[in-house]
């Protein structure tokens, strides 16, 4: 059993990076095998090219994304760590979904109906927002969450999905941030 962390934040001094460090520490302390895909450090190219030479149906054979598909295939648990910007995932992570979670690998169509192919996996999604929770829940109706949960992960067959949402980050105290990091460490350790 192994875990794959998919991390999307460009700043190594960010709170998201502290989250990553605490998740890794918790997994290490639990003697859990894991790998990390740091999309910014790896300079992942999020641009999906579709033209005469590059067909959407051939994305499963793209050599650029083969290593990422292999890592996902080998993992039983995915952990996604990212900030919410403009009520969505960072563009680099969206491009990762577009280029890696492709037909024939993450899903296929059985007639007109989609069938998820990543059924044997679970996911833990950890994300941060500067917005307060009441604003997200009431005015935005959790749009930042439903797209990732329903339109990507569940669509691809991942049904067991846990969420850790950290809101009002911009206005949080250092004490509150330390509490969050300790909780995340414990959750990672108890996976």
């Amino acid at each position: 059993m192994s875990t794959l962390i998919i991390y999307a934040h460009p700043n190594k001094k960010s709170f998201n990076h502290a989250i990553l460090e605490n998740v890794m520490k918790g997994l290490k302390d639990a003697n859990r095998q894991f790998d990390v895909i740091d999309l910014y450090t790896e300079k992942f190219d999020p641009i999906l090219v579709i033209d005469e030479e590059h067909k959407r149906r051939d994305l499963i054979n793209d050599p650029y994304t083969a290593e990422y598909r292999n890592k996902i295939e080998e993992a039983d648990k995915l952990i996604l760590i990212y900030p919410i910007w403009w009520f969505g995932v960072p563009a680099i992570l969206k491009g990762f979904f577009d280029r890696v979670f492709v037909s024939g690998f993450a899903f296929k169509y059985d007639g007109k109906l989609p069938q998820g192919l990543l059924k044997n996996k679970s996911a833990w999604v950890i994300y941060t927002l500067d917005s307060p929770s009441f604003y997200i829940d009431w005015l935005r109706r959790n749009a930042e969450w439903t797209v990732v949960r329903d339109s990507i992960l569940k669509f691809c067959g991942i049904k067991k999905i846990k969420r850790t949402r950290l809101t009002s980050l911009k206005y949080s105290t250092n004490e509150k941030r330390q509490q969050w990091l300790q909780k995340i460490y414990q959750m990672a350790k108890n996976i």
Side-chain angles (χ1 to χ4, degrees), residues 38-164:
D38 182 335
L39 297 174
Y40 285 96
T41 298
E42 294 185 21
K43 296 183 180 357
F44 178 80
D45 180 0
I47 299 172
L48 176 62
V49 176
I50 304 290
D51 57 23
E52 291 301 315
E53 294 177 35
H54 305 90
K55 306 288 186 217
R56 195 173 163 114
R57 68 177 171 261
D58 298 329
L59 290 173
I60 190 170
N61 301 314
D62 183 354
Y64 180 80
T65 57
E67 177 186 351
Y68 299 113
R69 288 191 305 276
N70 289 338
K71 288 181 178 186
I72 291 169
E73 203 166 60
E74 291 171 5
D76 61 298
K77 181 175 230 23
L78 305 177
I79 299 176
L80 288 81
I81 303 169
Y82 57 89
I84 292 294
W85 294 330
W86 293 105
F87 289 95
V89 301
I92 199 168
L93 181 56
K94 178 60 169 72
F96 183 83
F97 289 138
D98 290 347
R99 296 193 66 195
V100 178
F101 283 54
V102 296
S103 178
F105 169 69
F107 67 93
K108 69 177 182 177
Y109 281 92
D110 185 10
K112 292 183 178 182
L113 297 176
Q115 179 182 0
L117 299 176
L118 302 178
K119 292 179 181 175
N120 61 336
K121 303 189 184 314
S122 63
W124 178 20
V125 181
I126 307 166
Y127 62 94
T128 60
L129 300 99
D130 284 338
S131 300
S133 58
F134 76 85
Y135 181 77
I136 301 154
D137 295 340
W138 184 59
L139 289 176
R140 297 294 175 200
R141 296 191 169 99
N142 285 304
E144 86 295 343
W145 171 236
T146 55
V147 169
V148 171
R149 182 192 63 202
D150 298 338
S151 302
I152 299 170
L153 298 176
K154 284 187 178 181
F155 184 87
C156 293
I158 301 171
K159 302 294 184 210
K160 188 177 175 187
I161 305 167
K162 179 170 56 173
R163 168 177 74 157
T164 300

